[in-house]
Amino acid sequence: MSDCLFCKIVAGDIPSSKVYEDESVYAFRDINPMAPVHILVIPKLHLESVNAVNTANSAVLSHIFEVIPQIAKSEGLENGYRVITNCGEDGCQSVKHLHFHLLGGKKLSESLD
Ligand code: 5GP
Ligand code: ZN
């Protein structure tokens, strides 16, 4: 999608600190990290949010969850980590391209709200 920030990052039109890339997934460091490790893992395919997942495109989601433990291991998160996706207005989703926050490198807050 031409007007999407994360599509522009995938295309290389906006620079990012890449940590992983394959044919369908891209991962890069969050510009405003909330933890010592804060990586965004996204499908290259533009999907607006979890709400856009369907049987035709859901294979990329299982692939993302294969990739996440590999990234976590390479980032030294042996003690654990958190994966979050925000959806829509009440979920405080600010970028309308599906992304998973991978957070770790410290003991995270127990609060999820
Ligand atoms: P959301 O609030 O939509 O769940 O998360 C969007 C995330 O994207 C935020 O954590 C924000 O810091 C990050 N972000 C926004 N713009 C950029 C950018 O241009 N580059 C990078 N690396 N991260 C960004
Ligand atoms: Zn996009």
Side-chain angles (χ1 to χ4, degrees):
M1 224 177 93
S2 58
D3 199 27
C4 169
L5 175 65
F6 286 177
C7 284
K8 288 177 182 165
I9 284 178
V10 168
D13 296 337
I14 292 174
S16 65
S17 178
K18 180 170 84 174
V19 298
Y20 177 89
E21 181 175 17
D22 65 26
E23 65 286 348
S24 60
V25 173
Y26 191 82
F28 55 104
R29 297 193 191 280
D30 196 292
I31 205 167
N32 182 27
M34 301 293 187
V37 175
H38 187 171
I39 292 166
L40 301 173
V41 187
I42 72 174
K44 287 186 171 178
L45 177 70
H46 180 85
L47 300 173
E48 182 166 321
S49 74
V50 166
N51 283 339
V53 176
N54 58 40
T55 50
N57 60 35
S58 61
V60 73
L61 271 294
S62 55
H63 185 51
I64 281 175
F65 278 89
E66 292 167 350
V67 164
I68 283 172
Q70 296 173 29
I71 297 174
K73 190 173 183 193
S74 69
E75 293 289 321
L77 303 181
E78 283 84 5
N79 212 36
Y81 55 90
R82 180 172 291 157
V83 179
I84 293 174
T85 188
N86 296 325
C87 182
E89 186 71 22
D90 282 1
C92 294
Q93 181 184 6
S94 61
V95 179
K96 304 293 190 280
H97 179 130
L98 177 62
H99 52 281
F100 294 88
H101 297 259
L102 169 58
L103 296 151
K106 69 172 186 180
K107 178 77 172 177
L108 298 165
S109 160
E110 287 188 14
S111 171
L112 285 178
D113 68 353

